[in-house]
């Protein structure tokens, strides 16, 4: 009994308020999105809004129950929960029916459930437990391997379920790792890799001259050289060397252009040659001056070159055709608005037609008439954009932002590493979902089918996020308990 | 375990999260507030604006007999980008067309050169003006052909096969009309000529719009806002014409086998009672799908059945001009009712007389006997009455007055305040014209233009103008613009002639005597005192035109008529009996002289004229 009283005071009601607000707004939007013209009640069990209402109620009950569990249990059972869920994922691969190519749904009578939604929570718990263990250090290779395995296992299992989108979410843990000591360069490198990939793919179709190289390779090599220059000029402040790099690059470029008058110069190879030459130059600089500043730069440059030249191959051979097309649509390389570009175009039309004030609740024509696919699950944000306009969608984004900021605050006030790591996991996952989902709907991210947390229709995702959040709230509430 | 340096990394993480959210809000701002193309995209996505065509106004005759009404018709329209999985073969079978037609038609629709403003988003007319029988099969199975729709339309139908020129017809609007009037969309119908053209805006009504919601698969999901924003079509207004359909039918019957025209006007109101142009056609052949085929046939017919001779053909009025000449000469003081001139019959010079009568002749006799020398002398003394003056200025001045007086009978100009479609101007030669033709102001004298005295030469008039001039004489000095719409507002357009009322009785008496003793005595009707004048007009294309103008009854005239039978011969032989029969029909309400009627009907003057 005394525990219950303490929960009431210790619970972070602000987070609960944002949670309830998002769930409620999501429910209203689902009603709007699946509303047919023959008006039915928002509680109608046969409609999606009615079903979602049941999911919401059960999620509340579930959340309340999680608050009643002793906080130590989560730490204590972390690996067991992880193992159980991984087992469930494996079982799912074999017994799940094929639903639109995906084998991720467990069907139990009228209810289907997606175990992948629980895997995030389980992985977060396992990571927290491992990283909070005594003697753990992120820099140790010995410790890094189990960490990687904890993340990769669910990733691979979910990929095997043909839910690549959900699997990508595990990349979100990079933010948590960063907070826990991972070198910031890895975040920058990730960004750099994405940038290189986009440049190579986007401009690979544009030849500089026929059979003489593509703009994609030349631009990406240029970007690598730019990074080298910026590093030498601003970070290590070796301005002389940096200037030499610049002059050398310009000189070689000029020579190749002049040579092009007589010979057919392949600019891909010229660019490659310049980057390799620069790497050799930096190695000399390093050796002669006994600096220890350029090994990393050279390594990154070479890695980038390999990455660039394999990007095209990766794109064509590793990605599936529908994934290739989604990326091409995003990069404006595919203009077929009735085919591959349809979803995103219709989604932009629905949101764009909302204007500032929106068309009003239940007055959205685009979502109502099914122009937007998946409008109550992955594209739920369209309904908000169309019916409630700019102010409504901004409000939703602001509530998410407030929730994320609140979670960061909660994370930092934890005394135990387990709690803090777990809090960062939750914040990172929510942020990643938000970034990908809203970005996709707005046409600035490729189409990756993951739900908007607390908003999208579906019991699995609502339960998954609710469990994840309420475990955090329970852990957070323990901070007062221990003070007693 | 708290690591202070790492703790600061929460700010980096917070900034990353905040930046992404701010970027998304900016993106929302851009597509929701700055860009407009998404709003347009939503419009064309979700709203199917279905035009509701109003029924066109009905047309009645003066006795409220229905002349023109509507029958249902159907268009097959298509929205190109919504056509998918089409079973072309079954579609063609259901519409009873062959596949080649289908392919050609689709190509035509998509050809932006032929189909201006084509869009794959908007309904295009695939087939037009189908009967209920044509669409009976396909109506049941329309759901099988997504992208194709049935559009309800109305077509004209006619109670009588008559009055085609007056009524006009409707057809698809021309490109030019679409450009000038935004009411029209390609595929709409509009009046093409006649009354249908002049009263287009009254008859057409106002199109309505039904706004339907359409889902992503093109299925109609009901009315937008329960039809709140729909616009109901407003039916076209009905129109009552001044025509007397019985008189019109008789006129057309009498003209069969002949080329020519009849115009009958009620002098007191300017209302046109009948307007016949032969050869003519049955107006119902220019309706529906056979329209274009039949139109080509009519267009290529050498007898020009599409031309409304009553208002468009211009003839020298010949002797039918003499009553007007008599009035103008009196008004100008050239002659009085007592003036006599001598006539030497065929030996007269410079104008011969074609009739045999005593000499000298008075004005009355001259009208009665259509004496050419009398009117030459009258014309000459009128325009020469003050001599010629310096550079003929007095003479030319008098000629100008004469022209003005003649024009005041409604000759030489179109009736611009009338609702009659496609009139010709006719011609009363001006001083300027002669100055030009004879190269100087002194190059011409009365003798030069002597043909004008007897309505030959350069003078041209349409049958409508001649009938109207008879109205002036019947009314003793004024006319009301001839018109077809039986509305009181049309009756206010009164035009006074420049000839005073006092000069009219003598001319009326003369025209009455035409029936008693003169050229039309054989066309007299017992009990009706008629006034008229024959005209036998020489022309360059074969036999003389036979013309008759007049009005009846003499007291309180009810009808003024002009009859022209081209290349028939004497006015008294062909046109006069037609006049007489029309008067009988209109005044007595029926024809008693059936023998005469049959005889006139059976006269064939032009074997090319096709029977309808």
């Amino acid at each position: 009994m005394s525990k219950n009283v303490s929960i009431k005071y210790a619970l972070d009601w602000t987070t609960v308020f944002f949670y309830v607000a998002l769930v409620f707004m999501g429910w209203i939007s689902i009603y709007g999105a699946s509303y047919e013209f023959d008006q039915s009640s928002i509680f109608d069990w046969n409609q999606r809004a009615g079903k979602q209402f049941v999911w919401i109620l059960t999620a509340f009950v579930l959340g309340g129950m999680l608050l009643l569990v002793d906080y130590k249990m989560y730490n204590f059972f972390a690996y067991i929960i992880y193992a159980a869920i991984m087992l469930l994922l494996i079982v799912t691969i074999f017994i799940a029916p094929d639903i639109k190519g995906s084998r991720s749904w467990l069907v139990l009578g009228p209810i289907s459930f997606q175990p992948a939604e629980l895997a995030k929570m389980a992985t977060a718990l396992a990571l927290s437990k491992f990283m909070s263990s005594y003697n753990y250090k992120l820099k140790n290779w010995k410790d890094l391997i189990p960490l990687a395995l904890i993340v990769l296992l669910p990733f691979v299992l979910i990929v095997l379920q043909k839910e690549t989108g959900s699997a990508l979410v595990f990349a979100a843990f990079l933010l948590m790792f960063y907070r826990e000591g991972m070198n910031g360069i890895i975040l920058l490198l990730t960004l750099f890799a994405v940038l290189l990939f986009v440049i190579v793919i986007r401009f690979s179709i544009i030849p500089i001259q026929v059979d003489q190289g593509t703009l994609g390779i030349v631009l990406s090599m240029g970007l690598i050289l730019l990074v080298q220059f910026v590093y030498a000029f601003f970070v290590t402040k070796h301005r002389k060397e940096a200037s030499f790099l610049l002059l050398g690059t310009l000189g070689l470029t000029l020579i190749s252009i002049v040579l092009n008058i007589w010979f057919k110069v392949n600019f891909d190879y010229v660019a490659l040659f310049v980057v390799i030459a620069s790497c050799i130059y930096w190695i000399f600089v390093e050796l002669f001056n006994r600096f220890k500043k350029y090994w990393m730069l050279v390594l990154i440059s070479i890695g980038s070159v390999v990455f660039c030249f394999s990007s095209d191959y990766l794109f064509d051979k590793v990605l599936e055709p529908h994934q290739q097309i989604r990326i091409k649509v995003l990069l404006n390389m595919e203009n077929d608005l009735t085919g591959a570009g349809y979803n995103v175009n219709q989604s932009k039309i629905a949101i764009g037609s909302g204007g500032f004030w929106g068309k009003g609740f239940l007055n959205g024509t685009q979502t109502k008439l099914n122009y937007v696919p998946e409008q109550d699950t992955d594209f739920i944000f369209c309904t908000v954009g169309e019916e409630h306009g700019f102010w409504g969608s901004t409000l939703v984004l602001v509530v998410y932002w407030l929730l994320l900021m609140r979670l960061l605050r909660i994370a930092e006030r934890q005394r135990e590493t387990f709690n803090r790591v777990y809090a960062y996991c939750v914040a990172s996952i929510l942020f990643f979902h938000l970034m990908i989902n809203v970005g996709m709907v707005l046409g600035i991210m490729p189409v990756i089918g993951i739900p908007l947390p607390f908003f999208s229709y579906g019991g699995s995702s609502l339960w998954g996020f609710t469990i994840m959040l309420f475990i955090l709230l329970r852990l957070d509430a323990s901070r007062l308990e221990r003070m007693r | 375990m708290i690591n202070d340096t790492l703790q600061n990394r929460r700010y980096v993480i917070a900034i990353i999260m905040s930046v992404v959210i701010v970027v998304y809000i900016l993106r929302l701002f851009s597509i929701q507030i700055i860009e407009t193309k998404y709003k347009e995209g939503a419009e064309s996505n979700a709203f199917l604006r279905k035009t509701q065509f109003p029924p066109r106004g009905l047309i009645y005759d003066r006795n409220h007999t229905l002349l023109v009404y509507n029958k249902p018709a159907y268009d097959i329209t298509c929205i190109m980008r919504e056509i998918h999985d089409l079973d072309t073969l079954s579609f063609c079978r259901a519409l009873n067309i062959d596949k080649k037609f289908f392919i050609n038609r689709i190509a035509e629709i998509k050809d932006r050169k032929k189909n201006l403003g084509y869009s794959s988003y908007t309904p295009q007319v695939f087939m037009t003006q189908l009967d209920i029988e044509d669409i009976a099969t396909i109506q049941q199975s329309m759901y099988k052909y997504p992208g194709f729709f049935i559009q309800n339309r109305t077509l004209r139908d006619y109670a009588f096969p008559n009055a085609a020129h007056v009524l006009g017809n409707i057809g698809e609007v021309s490109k030019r009309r679409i450009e000038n009037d935004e009411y029209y969309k390609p595929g709409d119908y509009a009046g093409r000529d006649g009354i249908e053209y002049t009263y287009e805006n009254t008859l057409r009504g106002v199109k309505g719009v039904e706004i339907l919601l359409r889902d992503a698969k093109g299925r109609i999901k009901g009315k937008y806002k329960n039809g709140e924003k729909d616009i109901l079509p407003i039916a076209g207004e009905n129109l009552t014409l001044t025509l007397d359909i019985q008189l019109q039918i008789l006129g057309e019957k009498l003209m069969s086998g002949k080329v020519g025209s009849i115009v009958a006007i009620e002098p007191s109101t300017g209302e046109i009672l009948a307007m016949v142009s032969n050869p003519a056609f049955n107006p119902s052949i220019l309706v529906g799908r056979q329209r274009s085929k039949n139109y080509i046939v009519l267009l290529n017919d050498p007898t020009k059945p599409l031309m409304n001779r009553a208002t468009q053909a211009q003839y020298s009025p010949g002797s039918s001009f003499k009553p007007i000449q008599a009035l103008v000469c009196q008004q100008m003081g050239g002659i009085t009712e007592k003036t006599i001139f001598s006539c030497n019959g065929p030996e007269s010079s410079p104008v011969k007389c074609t009739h045999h009568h005593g000499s000298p002749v008075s004005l009355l006799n001259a009208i009665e006997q259509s004496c050419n020398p009398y009117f030459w002398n009258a014309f000459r003394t009128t325009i020469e009455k003050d001599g010629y003056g310096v550079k003929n200025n007095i003479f030319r001045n008098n000629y100008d007055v004469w022209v003005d007086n003649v024009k005041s009978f409604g000759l030489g100009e179109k009736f611009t305040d009338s609702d009659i479609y496609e009139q010709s101007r006719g011609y009363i030669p001006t001083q300027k014209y002669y100055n030009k033709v004879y190269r100087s102001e002194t190059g011409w004298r009365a003798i030069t233009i002597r043909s004008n005295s007897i309505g030959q030469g350069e003078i041209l008039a349409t049958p409508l103008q001649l009938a109207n001039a008879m109205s002036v004489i019947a009314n003793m000095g004024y006319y009301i613009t001839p018109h077809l719409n039986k509305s009181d507002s049309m009756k206010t357009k009164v035009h006074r002639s420049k000839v005073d009322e006092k000069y009219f009785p003598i001319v009326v008496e003369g025209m009455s005597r035409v029936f008693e003793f003169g050229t039309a005595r054989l066309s007299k009707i017992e009990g009706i005192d008629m006034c008229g004048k024959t005209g036998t007009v020489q022309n360059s294309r074969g036999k003389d035109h036979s013309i008759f103008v007049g009005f009846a009854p003499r007291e309180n005239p009810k009808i003024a008529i002009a009859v022209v039978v081209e290349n028939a011969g004497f006015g008294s032989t062909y046109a006069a009996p037609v006049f007489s029969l029309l008067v009988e029909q209109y005044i007595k309400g029926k024809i008693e002289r059936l023998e005469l009627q049959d005889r006139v009907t059976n006269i064939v003057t032009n074997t090319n004229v096709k029977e309808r």
Side-chain angles (χ1 to χ4, degrees):
Chain A
M1 227 19 226
S2 68
K3 237 175 213 171
N4 280 355
V5 174
S6 75
I7 278 286
K8 207 167 115 190
Y9 292 109
L11 187 63
D12 191 72
W13 286 104
T14 316
T15 306
V16 174
F17 171 77
F18 291 142
Y19 164 76
V20 173
L22 288 170
V23 166
F24 179 75
M25 289 193 286
W27 181 43
I28 294 287
S29 302
I30 290 164
Y31 181 58
S34 54
Y35 175 80
E36 289 282 335
F37 289 93
D38 39 342
Q39 195 154 4
S40 64
S41 160
I42 193 167
F43 299 107
D44 185 349
W45 168 245
N46 292 316
Q47 299 294 320
R48 288 199 147 181
K51 285 181 183 160
Q52 182 75 357
F53 182 64
V54 176
W55 290 119
I56 289 171
L57 288 184
T58 50
F60 285 176
V61 172
L62 195 63
M65 278 159 59
L66 289 169
L67 291 178
L68 296 179
V69 175
D70 187 343
Y71 73 95
K72 292 185 196 103
M73 292 298 180
Y74 298 116
N75 192 331
F76 186 77
F77 284 112
Y79 289 146
I80 293 166
I81 294 171
Y82 179 76
I85 300 287
M86 290 309 116
L87 203 64
L88 193 59
L89 287 179
I90 294 169
V91 170
T92 307
I93 298 174
F94 293 103
I95 66 165
D98 192 320
I99 298 172
K100 287 189 218 159
S102 141
R103 293 186 168 275
S104 62
W105 290 92
L106 284 180
V107 181
L108 307 161
I111 299 164
S112 10
F113 195 81
Q114 207 173 16
E117 291 296 339
L118 292 175
K120 296 164 213 169
M121 176 271 295
T123 310
L125 280 176
L127 284 173
S128 308
K129 174 121 183 173
F130 186 77
M131 291 172 79
S132 61
S133 58
Y134 190 68
N135 264 347
Y136 163 81
K137 278 215 161 58
L138 191 69
K139 302 247 156 111
N140 285 356
W141 284 105
K142 203 179 67 196
D143 288 341
L144 216 53
I145 290 168
L147 212 56
L149 286 178
I150 290 174
V151 180
L152 281 177
L153 179 61
F155 176 85
V156 169
L157 291 177
I158 294 171
V159 168
L160 288 176
Q161 291 177 358
K162 308 274 181 218
E163 281 288 326
T164 323
S166 297
L168 284 176
V169 174
F170 289 85
F173 291 123
L174 277 178
L175 270 184
M176 181 274 289
F177 288 142
Y178 171 68
R179 169 61 185 85
E180 293 303 315
M182 182 184 79
N183 195 332
I185 284 185
I186 296 185
L187 279 187
L188 283 176
L189 281 181
T190 312
L191 196 69
F192 189 59
V194 170
L195 196 60
L196 284 179
F197 183 76
V198 167
I199 288 175
V200 171
I201 299 304
R202 177 68 185 88
F203 297 104
S204 66
I205 46 167
I206 305 171
I208 291 175
Q209 266 173 320
V210 181
D211 291 333
Q212 285 180 259
T214 65
L215 201 55
I217 290 294
V218 172
L219 279 179
S220 54
M221 294 302 119
L223 193 65
I224 294 168
L225 290 166
L226 185 69
V227 167
Q228 291 181 359
F229 175 79
V230 169
Y231 180 76
F233 200 89
F234 295 102
V235 181
T236 62
K237 305 218 158 126
H238 293 143
R239 305 219 153 136
K240 206 172 72 191
E241 284 79 1
S243 312
F244 186 75
L245 172 77
L246 189 68
L247 285 175
T249 306
L250 290 176
L252 285 172
T253 311
L254 207 66
I255 290 168
S256 63
I257 290 171
V258 171
L259 281 177
N260 192 42
I261 300 171
W262 298 284
F263 311 102
K264 276 200 161 187
V265 174
N266 189 320
F267 288 95
D268 275 3
Y269 297 132
V270 171
L272 180 65
F273 175 75
V274 175
V275 174
I276 289 170
S278 75
C279 288
I280 294 166
Y281 172 69
W282 290 122
I283 291 168
F284 273 97
V285 170
E286 179 93 21
L287 291 175
F288 280 91
N289 297 306
R290 302 183 179 215
F291 298 145
K292 279 212 167 173
K293 288 174 175 168
Y294 292 104
W295 288 116
M296 193 56 122
L297 185 67
V298 169
L299 229 80
I300 289 170
S301 297
I302 292 171
S304 302
V305 168
V306 174
F307 178 74
C308 286
F309 277 87
S310 56
S311 281
D312 251 341
Y313 179 83
L314 284 173
F315 186 77
D316 284 341
K317 300 287 145 100
V318 177
L319 292 183
E320 297 196 15
H322 73 274
Q323 292 165 336
Q324 293 176 16
I325 284 197
R326 285 173 181 183
I327 289 169
K328 283 185 171 176
V329 166
L330 181 72
L331 299 179
N332 263 333
M333 296 158 74
E334 189 78 41
N335 290 321
D336 179 13
L337 297 182
T338 56
Y342 178 81
N343 293 8
V344 174
N345 185 50
Q346 289 300 340
S347 144
K348 284 194 275 184
I349 285 177
I351 294 177
S353 67
F356 188 85
W357 293 112
K359 295 176 187 168
F361 182 50
L362 302 183
N363 283 334
T365 53
Q366 304 305 298
T367 46
K368 220 120 287 134
L369 295 165
N370 298 320
Y371 282 95
V372 184
E374 305 293 335
Q375 52 194 321
D376 43 14
T377 55
D378 296 347
F379 282 85
I380 187 73
F381 197 69
C382 289
T383 313
V384 183
E386 188 183 14
E387 297 195 343
H388 304 291
F390 177 69
W391 80 267
S393 2
T394 303
L395 179 72
V396 170
L397 289 179
V398 166
V399 174
Y400 272 111
W401 181 73
L402 290 171
L403 175 66
L404 289 170
M405 294 303 113
R406 186 72 194 170
L407 291 180
L408 293 188
R409 207 189 137 160
I410 288 175
E412 290 297 340
R413 74 184 179 200
Q414 302 306 316
R415 284 145 197 260
E416 293 195 32
T417 310
F418 178 83
N419 292 4
R420 187 183 65 240
V421 171
Y422 184 75
Y424 267 102
C425 286
V426 174
S428 306
I429 287 169
L430 288 181
F431 169 68
F432 194 83
H433 268 268
L434 178 74
M435 178 175 78
I436 295 292
N437 181 285
V438 177
M440 160 186 86
V441 169
L442 293 177
I444 45 186
M445 285 279 167
V447 175
I448 295 172
I450 58 174
L452 189 58
F454 312 123
F455 232 82
S456 291
Y457 169 78
S460 310
S461 83
L462 181 60
W463 276 28
F465 287 117
T466 302
I467 292 170
M468 202 159 70
L469 188 70
F470 276 78
I471 290 177
L472 173 64
L473 288 174
R474 180 67 195 91
L475 293 173
D476 177 55
S478 70
R479 108 200 105 90
L480 293 181
E481 266 168 62
R482 257 196 307 173
M483 280 163 77
R484 285 193 179 173
Chain B
M1 281 294 286
I2 293 168
N3 186 326
D4 283 338
T5 52
L6 289 181
Q7 218 177 16
N8 287 335
R9 289 194 169 182
R10 65 175 154 171
Y11 299 116
V12 176
I13 293 173
I15 287 169
I16 291 173
M17 291 176 173
S18 308
V19 164
V20 167
I21 286 172
V22 167
V23 166
Y24 286 3
I25 290 174
L26 290 176
R27 172 72 171 177
L28 279 171
F29 186 81
S30 140
I31 67 176
Q32 291 190 303
I33 292 164
I34 297 171
E35 296 255 22
T36 55
K37 68 175 180 190
Y38 297 113
K39 291 169 190 71
E40 287 156 16
E43 279 269 303
S44 74
N45 256 348
F47 299 134
L48 181 68
R49 290 168 188 280
K50 204 173 173 190
T51 309
Q52 303 284 89
F53 289 96
R56 207 173 163 84
L58 307 179
I59 302 177
Y60 296 92
D61 91 335
R62 64 187 295 114
N63 301 316
H64 229 74
T65 308
L66 182 61
L67 303 181
V68 186
Y69 54 96
N70 299 313
K71 64 177 175 188
Y74 305 88
D75 284 0
I76 302 282
T77 59
C78 57
I79 299 178
M80 282 300 172
R81 77 176 196 131
E82 290 179 6
I83 300 175
H84 55 85
D85 305 329
L86 181 68
D87 181 352
T88 318
L89 208 67
S90 90
F91 180 74
C92 289
R93 206 177 300 133
L95 266 179
N96 199 18
I97 54 177
D98 60 9
K99 202 173 169 192
K100 211 174 129 199
F101 175 88
F102 176 86
I103 293 163
N104 287 342
R105 190 65 201 116
I106 293 288
E108 264 173 44
I109 291 170
K110 286 185 178 170
D111 185 349
R112 277 171 211 272
K113 274 181 215 147
K114 285 182 189 161
N115 186 7
L116 280 177
Y118 163 73
S119 158
S120 64
Y121 288 81
T122 56
Q124 305 290 320
V125 178
F126 176 73
M127 276 177 89
T128 179
Q129 303 179 339
L130 302 176
D131 288 336
I132 182 89
E133 293 86 27
D134 294 330
I135 63 139
T137 333
I138 202 167
Q139 204 168 26
Q140 316 295 329
S141 53
M142 210 59 198
Y143 68 94
K144 284 192 215 158
Y145 313 112
F148 284 92
F149 307 90
I150 293 178
Q151 171 85 60
N152 291 11
R153 298 298 286 264
T154 55
L155 281 184
R156 282 310 214 190
D157 208 354
Y158 298 87
F160 301 93
N162 307 88
H165 296 106
V166 176
L167 298 173
N169 51 76
I170 56 175
E172 254 186 72
V173 279
S174 60
K175 276 180 205 166
R176 230 184 72 198
R177 204 147 169 194
I178 294 169
E179 283 160 18
N180 294 338
D181 187 343
E182 58 185 38
Y183 176 86
Y184 297 108
K185 297 277 172 292
D188 282 2
Y189 308 150
R192 289 291 279 267
D193 38 42
I195 278 298
E196 298 274 21
Y197 178 85
T198 2
Y199 288 103
E200 168 67 12
N201 292 359
T202 318
L203 290 167
R204 74 183 178 192
V206 180
K207 279 189 284 193
V209 183
E210 190 183 16
I211 305 174
L212 298 171
L213 286 169
R214 173 173 62 174
D215 74 1
K217 297 204 170 102
R219 290 173 304 208
I220 300 303
K221 301 297 277 188
K223 291 186 160 211
Y224 177 58
K225 290 195 172 172
N226 284 323
E228 214 177 274
K229 298 271 159 101
D230 287 5
I231 301 165
L232 284 175
I234 301 168
E237 284 174 44
N238 294 345
L239 192 64
T240 301
L241 296 185
T242 58
L243 284 191
D244 177 331
I245 192 65
Q246 292 310 325
L247 192 68
Q248 178 78 20
I249 291 170
L250 175 69
E252 293 189 22
K253 191 173 167 189
L254 296 176
M255 291 303 284
S256 59
K258 311 162 192 69
V259 176
S261 55
I262 302 170
V263 176
I265 300 175
E266 184 176 70
S268 59
T269 57
E271 291 174 355
I272 292 178
L273 301 170
M275 187 186 270
V276 178
S277 174
N278 209 54
F281 54 91
N282 183 339
S284 62
I285 67 168
L286 289 188
V287 169
R289 271 200 292 168
Q290 79 274 35
R291 177 192 158 89
S292 51
K293 189 188 75 199
N294 288 336
Y295 191 85
I296 299 292
V297 171
L298 292 176
L299 200 63
N300 293 334
D301 189 325
T303 61
K304 293 186 185 170
L306 286 173
M307 177 183 179
N308 184 3
R309 289 177 159 79
T311 60
Q312 288 175 281
Q314 312 183 95
Y315 306 94
S316 293
S319 302
S320 64
F321 182 68
K322 285 172 183 165
I324 298 157
Q325 184 74 284
L327 288 163
V328 173
C329 291
Q330 286 184 82
Q331 174 70 28
M332 290 178 70
I335 57 167
T336 67
E337 56 178 84
K338 297 197 176 67
T339 307
I340 52 170
F341 292 109
S342 63
C343 172
N344 286 335
E347 279 83 44
S348 304
S349 177
V351 179
K352 290 186 286 189
C353 194
T354 52
H355 300 274
H356 301 280
H357 51 80
S359 177
V361 278
S362 68
L363 178 55
L364 267 179
N365 284 338
I367 295 171
E368 170 199 309
Q369 298 296 336
S370 198
C371 175
N372 288 347
Y374 185 93
F375 286 97
W376 152 240
N377 284 316
F379 179 57
R380 194 199 58 187
T381 49
T382 303
I383 56 176
E384 281 184 349
K385 68 181 163 114
D386 305 309
Y388 276 81
V390 183
K391 287 179 107 180
N392 290 357
N393 65 341
I394 296 170
F395 163 75
R396 284 187 286 110
N397 200 34
N398 274 333
Y399 182 73
D400 283 345
V401 177
W402 182 84
V403 169
D404 281 352
N405 279 303
V406 171
K407 280 187 160 183
S408 73
F409 285 77
L411 298 170
E413 298 293 343
K414 289 179 185 175
F415 297 103
T416 49
D417 52 353
S418 172
D419 54 8
I420 298 164
Y421 177 70
E422 290 276 320
Q423 306 171 38
S424 292
R425 244 184 97 191
Y427 193 58
I428 304 297
T430 57
Q431 187 207 135
K432 221 170 126 189
Y433 169 81
Y434 287 124
N435 287 343
K436 207 175 146 200
V437 169
Y438 298 106
R439 305 236 166 84
S440 78
E441 290 168 345
T442 51
W444 55 285
R445 300 166 68 90
I447 186 94
T448 335
I449 57 168
R450 59 187 176 277
S451 304
N452 286 355
S453 66
I454 53 165
Q456 294 273 3
E458 291 89 358
I459 293 180
L460 293 174
T462 66
L464 174 67
Q465 287 172 334
L466 291 177
N468 181 65
M470 286 307 111
S471 280
V472 180
I473 298 171
N475 291 335
M476 303 236 185
Y478 70 92
Y479 71 92
I480 292 160
T481 302
H483 57 272
L484 288 162
N485 179 6
K486 198 166 174 2
S487 122
D488 289 341
S489 66
M490 300 301 289
K491 292 181 193 165
T492 57
K493 296 167 178 171
V494 181
H495 301 263
R496 296 229 140 253
S497 86
K498 289 196 155 68
V499 177
D500 297 339
E501 198 183 333
K502 61 182 177 194
Y503 299 117
F504 280 89
I506 180 83
V507 175
V508 171
E509 172 62 23
M511 290 171 72
S512 170
R513 287 192 184 193
V514 170
F515 281 94
E516 294 298 323
F517 319 106
T519 48
R521 55 191 177 275
L522 297 173
S523 298
K524 194 172 180 280
I525 307 172
E526 277 312 315
I528 302 174
D529 195 357
M530 299 187 287
C531 303
K533 184 73 199 76
T534 53
T536 305
V537 182
Q538 297 163 8
N539 68 91
S540 52
R541 289 165 305 185
K543 281 174 86 175
D544 293 347
H545 294 327
S546 172
I547 293 184
F548 195 90
V549 295
F551 57 90
R554 180 178 172 176
E555 301 302 328
N556 216 348
K558 291 265 184 296
I559 183 167
I561 305 176
V563 180
V564 176
V565 185
E566 287 183 22
N567 307 110
F570 290 115
S572 50
T573 328
Y574 300 94
V578 172
F579 172 91
S580 173
L581 286 163
L582 288 170
V583 170
E584 183 181 0
Q585 166 70 33
Y586 189 67
I587 308 281
K588 293 191 169 173
K590 59 179 196 296
I591 301 288
E592 283 159 0
R593 297 173 294 169
L594 291 172
E595 200 185 314
L596 177 67
Q597 183 189 323
D598 287 347
R599 188 167 61 77
V600 174
T601 306
N602 292 332
I603 295 172
V604 174
T605 63
N606 187 329
T607 48
N608 288 327
V609 176
K610 290 186 185 66
E611 281 308 309
R612 273 181 275 154

